[in-house]
């Protein structure tokens, strides 16, 4: 009885642990989903704000907003492209590692540009714009290079697979259309010709008709005539015929 109670208690504790673990996993997944949604919404709002500033604010402040928007758009597009294809192509892991290093420089530049948006000294900001423009161009050019290389690689693999598939389909289509090819039936054997004349070399393949038998066979009597009749003692001898 005590063993049964211990087993029931152990099962109860196990169910409690499993329930708590499942609850933590569900809450964590929900929290990550909420955080992802909030981050996405914040990025969208910030991008629209930067776009509005780039058109509304003239001068260095507007150009800083344009540089920041260009940097964020390029880095986000490259990140999405690499993460989307790394599961299918293992060779992109090295490219993703290089992008992570590039992202560190991109985040540093983005933070600097965000601080300069509220810079009151427009003259000092204009002096720093060429260097900021060059850094932004170098980072975005590297990010674009990685992104387009990953896309070209995926497109090349797709074209190679399509070429192989097309060749296999052509072979299969040819096999399916094999019934349209007319097969030549062999000609029947020629009938044997009758010999031109009877001779030792002539050979008859069909039975002869009665008309084709030789003349001596047709005139031969069907029944052999009997031999000379026997003579008996009581019969008179036949006289020889007179020659006169």
């Amino acid at each position: 009885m005590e063993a049964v109670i211990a087993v029931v208690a152990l099962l109860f504790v196990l169910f409690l642990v499993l329930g708590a673990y499942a609850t933590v996993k569900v809450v964590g997944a929900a929290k990550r989903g909420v955080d992802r949604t909030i981050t996405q919404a914040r990025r969208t709002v910030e991008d629209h704000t930067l776009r509005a500033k780039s058109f509304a604010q003239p001068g260095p402040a507007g150009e800083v907003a344009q540089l920041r928007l260009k940097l964020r758009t390029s880095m986000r597009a490259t990140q999405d492209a690499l993460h989307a294809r790394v599961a299918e192509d293992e060779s992109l892991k090295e490219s993703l590692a290089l992008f992570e290093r590039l992202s560190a420089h991109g985040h540093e530049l983005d933070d600097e540009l965000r601080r300069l948006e509220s810079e009151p000294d427009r003259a000092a900001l204009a002096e720093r714009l060429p260097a900021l423009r060059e850094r932004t161009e170098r980072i975005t050019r590297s990010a674009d290079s990685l992104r387009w290389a990953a896309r070209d690689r995926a497109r090349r693999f797709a074209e190679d697979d399509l070429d192989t598939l097309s060749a296999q389909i052509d072979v299969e289509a040819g096999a399916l259309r094999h019934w349209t090819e007319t097969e030549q039936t062999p000609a029947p054997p020629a009938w044997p010709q009758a010999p031109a004349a009877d001779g030792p070399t002539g050979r008859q393949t069909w039975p002869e008709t009665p008309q084709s038998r030789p003349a001596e066979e047709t005139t031969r009597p069907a029944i052999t005539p009997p031999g000379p009749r026997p003579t008996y003692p009581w019969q008179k001898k036949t006289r020889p015929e007179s020659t006169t």
Side-chain angles (χ1 to χ4, degrees), residues 75-191:
M75 297 297 290
R76 188 179 302 119
T78 304
Q79 176 180 285
D80 295 341
L82 293 178
H83 280 285
R85 292 178 174 85
V86 69
E88 301 175 358
D89 192 354
E90 295 292 334
S91 61
L92 291 180
K93 289 184 176 181
E94 184 176 356
S95 300
L96 188 59
L98 293 175
F99 176 75
E100 295 297 335
R101 295 173 57 186
L102 183 64
S103 295
H105 295 277
H107 285 297
E108 181 180 357
L109 177 60
D110 184 64
D111 294 338
E112 185 176 356
L113 291 174
R114 184 172 62 251
R115 290 191 299 267
L116 291 176
E117 286 180 359
S118 57
E119 175 62 39
D121 190 353
R122 302 302 179 182
L125 181 59
E127 292 179 0
R128 299 188 60 180
L129 273 178
L132 294 173
R133 192 182 301 113
E134 183 183 357
R135 287 177 61 189
T136 304
E137 183 66 25
R138 291 178 61 185
I139 293 176
T140 54
R141 184 169 61 248
S142 297
D144 294 343
S145 178
L146 279 176
R147 184 175 67 254
W148 284 109
R151 290 176 177 175
D152 292 342
R153 181 180 178 84
R155 179 176 55 83
R156 181 60 181 176
F157 284 166
E159 290 178 355
D160 292 343
D161 183 70
L162 181 59
D163 293 340
T164 303
L165 181 60
S166 299
Q168 294 177 354
I169 290 177
D170 292 341
V171 172
E172 181 65 19
L176 291 176
R177 292 192 181 96
H178 183 69
W179 59 270
T180 59
E181 299 179 1
T182 55
E183 298 181 357
Q184 296 182 356
T185 55
W191 293 103

Side-chain angles (χ1 to χ4, degrees), residues 29-60:
K31 184 177 182 299
R32 286 191 298 270
V34 173
D35 293 341
R36 191 182 303 110
T37 303
I38 293 175
T39 303
Q40 184 67 27
R42 185 169 60 248
R43 288 177 179 176
T44 302
V45 172
E46 194 169 1
D47 290 344
H48 284 291
T49 303
L50 290 174
R51 189 173 289 106
K53 286 182 178 180
S54 63
F55 289 104
Q57 295 180 355

